[in-house]
């Protein structure tokens, strides 16, 4: 869940709509439209097809219908409803200091990008990996400290 306390007060009323408008309500990375029902290509992550309510079937972004064979061969079985979110990139500050993707108050246009859930997850992936690494490192240090405490005690008892 988003904690809007970390965001500027005009996030929902001004900033978010401004970025979505700039993006033409599409993911700025893979260009899927917001709220569309789509299937993704299994080998090309930037290709997708959209459910067309008039065709009652999936069509390419240019409106060309998808053949049954293409759908079965090239597209995922599961369907996804696209929900765009605004990602804070964390670009460097004007003074040259490092940016921070966790700083939700940094709403410079260049720092914000509209992304579908999949592209957003991929953006956050390096953070998830970095956090997992940190957790593993912390556990390793804890284990080593326990080992030192344990062997220290053993040496103490051994000395008696
Ligand atoms: Zn996307």
């Amino acid at each position: 869940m988003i904690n809007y306390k970390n965001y500027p007060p005009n996030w929902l009323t001004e900033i978010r709509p401004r970025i979505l408008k700039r993006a033409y309500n599409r993911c700025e990375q893979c260009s899927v439209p917001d709220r569309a029902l789509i299937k993704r290509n299994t080998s090309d992550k930037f290709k997708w097809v959209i459910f067309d309510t008039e065709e009652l079937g999936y069509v390419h972004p240019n409106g060309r219908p998808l053949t049954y064979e293409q759908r079965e061969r090239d597209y995922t079985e599961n369907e996804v409803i696209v929900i765009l979110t605004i990602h804070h990139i964390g670009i460097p500050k004007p003074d040259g200091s490092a940016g921070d993707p966790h700083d939700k108050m940094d709403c410079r246009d260049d720092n914000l990008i509209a992304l579908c859930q999949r592209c957003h997850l991929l953006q956050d992936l390096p953070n998830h990996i970095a956090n997992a690494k940190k957790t593993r490192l912390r556990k390793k240090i804890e284990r080593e400290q326990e080992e030192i405490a344990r062997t220290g005690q053993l040496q103490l008892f051994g000395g008696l």
Side-chain angles (χ1 to χ4, degrees):
M1 281 302 289
I2 294 176
N3 183 358
Y4 288 111
K5 268 190 245 164
N6 300 328
Y7 288 73
N10 62 344
W11 172 256
L12 286 175
T13 54
E14 288 170 43
I15 300 170
R16 192 173 183 283
R18 187 178 77 224
I19 299 302
L20 288 175
K21 192 178 172 199
R22 179 188 75 184
Y24 299 98
N25 274 314
R26 287 167 178 268
C27 173
E28 290 184 89
Q29 213 144 73
C30 74
S31 75
V32 291
D34 198 20
R35 310 290 150 164
L37 183 62
I38 62 154
K39 281 174 177 273
R40 295 199 189 266
N41 190 287
T42 48
S43 52
D44 183 340
K45 63 179 185 173
F46 285 103
K47 275 191 185 165
W48 45 273
V49 287
I50 184 169
F51 190 80
D52 185 306
T53 49
E54 282 176 23
E55 293 276 344
L56 289 178
Y58 280 88
V59 300
H60 292 281
N62 63 7
R64 189 164 48 85
L66 188 70
T67 65
Y68 176 80
E69 288 74 26
Q70 282 178 321
R71 203 185 72 198
E72 290 297 298
R73 190 186 60 221
D74 301 332
Y75 290 86
T76 55
E77 201 180 315
N78 62 321
E79 305 166 301
V80 180
I81 293 176
V82 175
I83 297 175
L84 295 184
T85 51
I86 310 297
H87 176 62
H88 289 67
I89 301 168
I91 60 166
K93 300 278 163 72
D95 65 5
S97 64
D100 178 5
H102 298 290
D103 178 6
K104 305 305 182 194
M105 293 292 179
D106 185 354
C107 290
R108 291 172 289 159
D109 274 17
D110 288 353
N111 194 44
L112 300 176
I113 184 170
L115 294 175
C116 71
Q117 57 268 57
R118 190 210 50 181
C119 291
H120 205 155
L121 187 71
L122 293 177
Q123 287 288 326
D124 282 343
L125 219 49
N127 280 327
H128 291 310
I129 292 166
N131 286 337
K133 269 187 189 159
K134 263 189 232 160
T135 306
R136 281 199 297 275
L137 182 64
R138 182 173 51 76
K139 286 190 173 157
K140 183 169 179 270
I141 291 168
E142 282 172 6
R143 273 200 308 276
E144 283 175 354
Q145 283 175 340
E146 276 168 15
E147 182 70 9
I148 289 164
R150 195 172 59 82
T151 53
Q153 263 186 335
L154 281 176
Q155 277 167 7
L156 186 67
F157 287 124
L160 286 173

